[in-house]
């Protein structure tokens, strides 16, 4: 038995692709956010590519740059703002957590903020992956923001 991974070449093959359409991706994102947004705080920009909602003590941002294979689906949440104290210990803690506790997400430092984020290509992005990525980022951020503020906020 031989399997090929070639892209669809005819319109009929392209239409039968398992890749979700733009509206399906947007609809899935909105559904996942609605189930997690207990406060009904979700905001969506007018171009339907960025959403923000409150999850516990943190704000989660979801962004999609488009639906082409090279476009990106990103979810992030800020868990700590500068100034930081004991940056070496903070950096070590973040790296250790990245190695053991973050699944598809990761901690990052950007623009004087510590973030939890996950990002992937939209190619073959399934509703289950959308849900999993949003849930992982939100849960990790909400579970760790207070600890980070108590121990590393200057």
């Amino acid at each position: 038995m031989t399997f090929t991974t070639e892209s669809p070449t005819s319109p009929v093959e392209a239409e039968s692709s398992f890749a979700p359409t733009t509206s399906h991706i947007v609809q899935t994102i909105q559904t996942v956010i609605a189930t997690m947004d207990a406060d009904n705080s979700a905001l969506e920009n007018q171009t339907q590519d960025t959403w923000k909602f409150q999850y516990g003590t943190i704000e989660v941002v979801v962004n999609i740059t488009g639906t082409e294979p090279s476009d990106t689906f990103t979810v992030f949440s800020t868990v700590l703002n500068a100034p930081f104290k004991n940056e070496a210990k903070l950096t070590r803690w973040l790296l250790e957590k990245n190695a053991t506790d973050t699944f598809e997400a990761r901690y990052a430092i950007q623009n004087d903020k510590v973030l939890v984020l996950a990002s992937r290509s939209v190619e073959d992005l399934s509703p289950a992956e959308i849900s999993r990525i949003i849930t992982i980022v939100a849960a990790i951020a909400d579970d760790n923001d207070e600890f980070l503020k108590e121990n590393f906020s200057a």
Side-chain angles (χ1 to χ4, degrees):
M1 186 180 284
T2 304
F3 293 96
T4 61
T5 58
E6 294 178 17
S7 298
T9 54
S10 73
V12 172
E13 288 176 310
E15 288 176 16
S16 66
S17 172
F18 291 107
T21 63
T22 304
S23 63
H24 186 70
I25 292 173
V26 168
Q27 199 171 44
T28 301
I29 291 168
Q30 290 170 337
T31 301
V32 170
I33 290 171
T35 63
M36 297 180 72
D37 182 21
D39 299 332
N40 291 322
S41 64
L43 300 173
E44 176 182 346
N45 72 349
Q46 292 178 348
T47 57
Q48 290 190 328
D49 63 1
T50 303
W51 299 261
K52 293 180 181 184
F53 69 98
Q54 195 70 29
Y55 183 80
T57 57
I58 52 95
E59 181 180 75
V60 179
V61 178
V62 179
N63 176 265
I64 188 165
T65 61
T67 57
E68 296 299 318
S70 61
D71 286 321
T72 308
F73 171 70
T74 303
V75 181
F76 70 90
S77 180
T78 300
V79 291
L80 184 65
N81 290 302
F84 311 124
K85 67 180 178 186
N86 201 347
E87 286 191 49
K89 187 175 178 181
L90 169 63
T91 302
R92 181 180 179 100
W93 188 90
L94 297 173
L95 287 172
E96 287 175 352
K97 290 295 184 180
N98 278 349
T100 60
D101 295 346
T102 57
F103 304 99
E104 293 87 30
R106 63 195 176 278
Y107 285 98
I109 299 174
Q110 183 178 25
N111 299 326
D112 290 328
K113 297 178 181 184
V114 176
L115 310 172
V116 177
L117 67 102
S119 186
R120 85 176 282 304
S121 163
V122 299
E123 185 172 21
D124 299 324
L125 182 64
S126 73
E129 288 176 289
I130 291 169
S131 179
R132 179 175 168 83
I133 291 170
I134 293 172
T135 302
I136 286 171
V137 169
I140 291 171
D142 189 49
D143 289 348
N144 292 287
D145 66 319
E146 292 170 357
F147 171 83
L148 287 165
K149 288 172 186 164
E150 288 173 18
N151 291 282
F152 300 109
S153 185

